[in-house]
Amino acid sequence: GEAVPASQKSSWASFLKSIAGVSGDLSSLTAPPFILSPISLTEFPAYWCERPELFAAIADAKTDESRSVAVLKWFISTLKGQYTSRNEKLGSEKKPLNPVLGELFYGFWPDLNSRGRTNLVVEQVSHHPPITAYYIENVSKGLTLQGHSAQKTSFSGGSIIVKQIGHAVLTVDLPGGAKEQFLITLPRLRIDGLWYGSPYIELTETSYIQSSTGWLSTIEYKGKGYFSGKSHQFKALLTPPGSNNARRTFEGLWHTTSKDVGSGELFTDVQGPKEEVSVASLDEQDEWESRRLWSAVAKGIREGDFETASREKSKIENEQRQRRRDELAADTTWPLKHFDHIDSDPVYEELGRLFKANPPAEDAYVFKNNGPHQ
Ligand code: 0T9
């Protein structure tokens, strides 16, 4: 394939073979240089808020139905950033830096046009398997999003299949002191194009957004080769509390536009620019903050100096191994800074029951309300 530099063909081939043989966690496999990304997975939760005005708009909805529609619209509008932005920025999907335990990522989107300020706090809460916890809040709009992200990978038909583990809970403060909650589950991914060295993601199967009011969005994903031959298709059905019949249907392409099937009106349009998260400069960052922690590795990858990148990466990994040994010897464990782990999320259990979520229970990481912005 053309995307694989001639000198890395055999290492790409053996990487693909090792992928086929490993099931579960690919993060520790060594990949050839051309496929390495200089960005850590702790930065990925920022994709949730790159259209801050759509997030803020959830708070302005006046009815339960319109709030569920606003949440669906925001969710669908995040998918292009979540699943295609490395192709746009780096040329293809690439292997992200594997975060260390305790790695942090802080950012914000400023208050503009009365949408309020949105803050982001991310912490790597497990190294193997990688688990990333995040908390996003817009205080002036009364919105918080709390979630965690992990993956189980397998190999099938030449593609990597990624089952996303984890979920997100969006909480909306309603006028009068009540709260509405939304349980958000995550789609399955298929990583295609591996053979040619130019991986890209397709979304498959179904994900759900269940509101505590009873409204449910069921989102089905399809790619090329199904009914219309187009990539990145979705169809979302919105059903009222206690009903099996859809009240509204939305359909289209999650990376460009979609429409409200009933009215024919435009639903989502993500062709315009998105707004990347604002992050403190490197010298203002704490040593555990992702961009500072990985700066030498990232510089090596960006400049094609893979010797430096791999030497700097080994430094970080050795330091981590030593920490783990010291903890073992002292019979201590690494304390999480911003999150408390709970074995079962009561919101997942309660709202998941309404649409028969599988699995019926999941753990969660609860924000301690101690972000740098709090
Ligand atoms: C949560 C997202 C997730 C993280 C990434 C599978 C993947 C790690 C997890 C699911 C975000 O909200 C959305 C987007 C992309 C996902 C990544 C794509 C990817 O390839 C990696 C995996 C671990 C690999 O690096 C596989 C090897 C690589 C050579 C293929 C490009």
Side-chain angles (χ1 to χ4, degrees), residues 175-253:
K179 285 185 195 300
E180 178 175 353
Q181 290 189 302
F182 295 83
L183 170 63
I184 301 171
T185 69
L186 304 164
R188 232 169 241 228
L189 280 56
R190 203 180 58 231
I191 306 177
D192 291 328
L194 289 168
W195 182 251
Y196 301 102
S198 48
Y200 62 91
I201 290 174
E202 188 53 275
L203 300 180
T204 70
E205 303 191 24
T206 309
S207 76
Y208 300 90
I209 305 177
Q210 174 70 64
S211 165
S212 55
T213 62
W215 287 88
L216 171 68
S217 291
T218 303
I219 310 155
E220 251 186 83
Y221 304 88
K222 289 216 161 60
K224 243 194 275 248
Y226 286 81
F227 45 81
S228 94
K230 285 189 182 132
S231 304
H232 306 338
Q233 304 167 64
F234 80 94
K235 181 177 188 171
L237 303 179
L238 181 67
T239 44
S243 163
N244 290 321
N245 300 319
R247 176 73 54 82
R248 315 267 297 260
T249 304
F250 305 91
E251 196 168 24
L253 305 177

Side-chain angles (χ1 to χ4, degrees), residues 12 15-16 19 25-27 29 31-32 35-36 41 44-48 81-84 86 92-96 130 132 134 149-151 153 160 162-164 186-187 189 191-192 194 198-201:
W12 181 241
F15 178 70
L16 292 182
I19 287 181
D25 175 9
L26 300 179
S27 58
L29 294 180
I35 205 73
L36 300 179
L41 265 186
F44 285 41
Y47 293 129
W48 286 114
Q82 308 257 17
Y83 302 111
T84 72
R86 277 81 53 200
S92 79
E93 190 62 56
K94 301 228 165 169
K95 189 171 191 289
T132 309
Y134 54 89
S149 165
Q151 301 85 40
T153 53
I160 299 174
V162 181
K163 181 178 180 211
Q164 295 205 67
L186 304 164
L189 280 56
I191 306 177
D192 291 328
L194 289 168
S198 48
Y200 62 91
I201 290 174

Side-chain angles (χ1 to χ4, degrees), residues 61-334:
K62 296 285 180 283
T63 64
D64 294 353
E65 176 178 349
S66 65
R67 218 172 293 110
S68 276
V69 172
V71 171
L72 179 65
K73 183 174 184 160
W74 155 75
F75 174 83
I76 297 293
S77 302
T78 71
L79 299 177
K80 180 187 185 200
Q82 308 257 17
Y83 302 111
T84 72
S85 61
R86 277 81 53 200
N87 297 70
E88 289 183 358
K89 249 183 123 162
L90 309 169
S92 79
E93 190 62 56
K94 301 228 165 169
K95 189 171 191 289
L97 295 169
N98 187 30
V100 304
L101 180 59
E103 184 174 324
L104 303 169
F105 185 68
Y106 300 137
F108 69 97
W109 291 264
D111 180 13
L112 289 175
N113 310 321
S114 70
R115 70 187 187 194
R117 177 184 158 112
T118 308
N119 295 323
L120 167 69
V121 177
V122 183
E123 180 169 4
Q124 189 69 13
V125 294
S126 168
H127 178 59
H128 278 304
I131 307 176
T132 309
Y134 54 89
Y135 184 78
I136 297 173
E137 63 174 2
N138 181 330
V139 176
S140 67
K141 294 286 179 180
L143 298 170
T144 66
L145 180 76
Q146 176 176 279
H148 71 284
S149 165
Q151 301 85 40
K152 263 213 170 75
T153 53
S154 57
F155 197 73
S156 167
S159 304
I160 299 174
I161 308 295
V162 181
K163 181 178 180 211
Q164 295 205 67
I165 315 281
H167 60 274
V169 174
L170 171 69
T171 304
V172 184
D173 293 341
L174 301 175
K179 285 185 195 300
E180 178 175 353
Q181 290 189 302
F182 295 83
L183 170 63
I184 301 171
T185 69
L186 304 164
R188 232 169 241 228
L189 280 56
R190 203 180 58 231
I191 306 177
D192 291 328
L194 289 168
W195 182 251
Y196 301 102
S198 48
Y200 62 91
I201 290 174
E202 188 53 275
L203 300 180
T204 70
E205 303 191 24
T206 309
S207 76
Y208 300 90
I209 305 177
Q210 174 70 64
S211 165
S212 55
T213 62
W215 287 88
L216 171 68
S217 291
T218 303
I219 310 155
E220 251 186 83
Y221 304 88
K222 289 216 161 60
K224 243 194 275 248
Y226 286 81
F227 45 81
S228 94
K230 285 189 182 132
S231 304
H232 306 338
Q233 304 167 64
F234 80 94
K235 181 177 188 171
L237 303 179
L238 181 67
T239 44
S243 163
N244 290 321
N245 300 319
R247 176 73 54 82
R248 315 267 297 260
T249 304
F250 305 91
E251 196 168 24
L253 305 177
W254 49 258
H255 68 308
T256 56
T257 60
S258 68
K259 60 184 191 193
D260 179 332
V261 173
S263 67
E265 273 170 40
L266 189 68
F267 181 50
T268 56
D269 182 355
V270 289
Q271 298 172 108
K274 60 185 178 114
E275 203 177 315
E276 284 191 14
V277 64
S278 297
V279 179
S281 66
L282 285 189
D283 46 277
E284 289 168 313
Q285 287 180 26
D286 151 321
E287 55 179 334
W288 286 95
E289 284 187 72
S290 185
R291 289 188 189 175
R292 172 129 179 222
L293 190 140
W294 290 107
S295 62
V297 177
K299 185 165 181 279
I301 293 173
R302 286 205 170 90
E303 295 175 355
D305 179 357
F306 298 108
E307 226 165 277
T308 303
S310 114
R311 185 172 3 96
E312 295 294 332
K313 184 166 168 273
S314 298
K315 260 195 222 166
I316 293 173
E317 287 166 351
N318 291 336
E319 202 258 355
Q320 285 288 310
R321 276 192 276 271
Q322 189 56 47
R323 263 178 208 279
R324 302 289 90 83
R325 280 195 288 269
D326 294 346
E327 285 162 6
L328 205 61
D331 197 19
T332 57
T333 54
W334 177 261

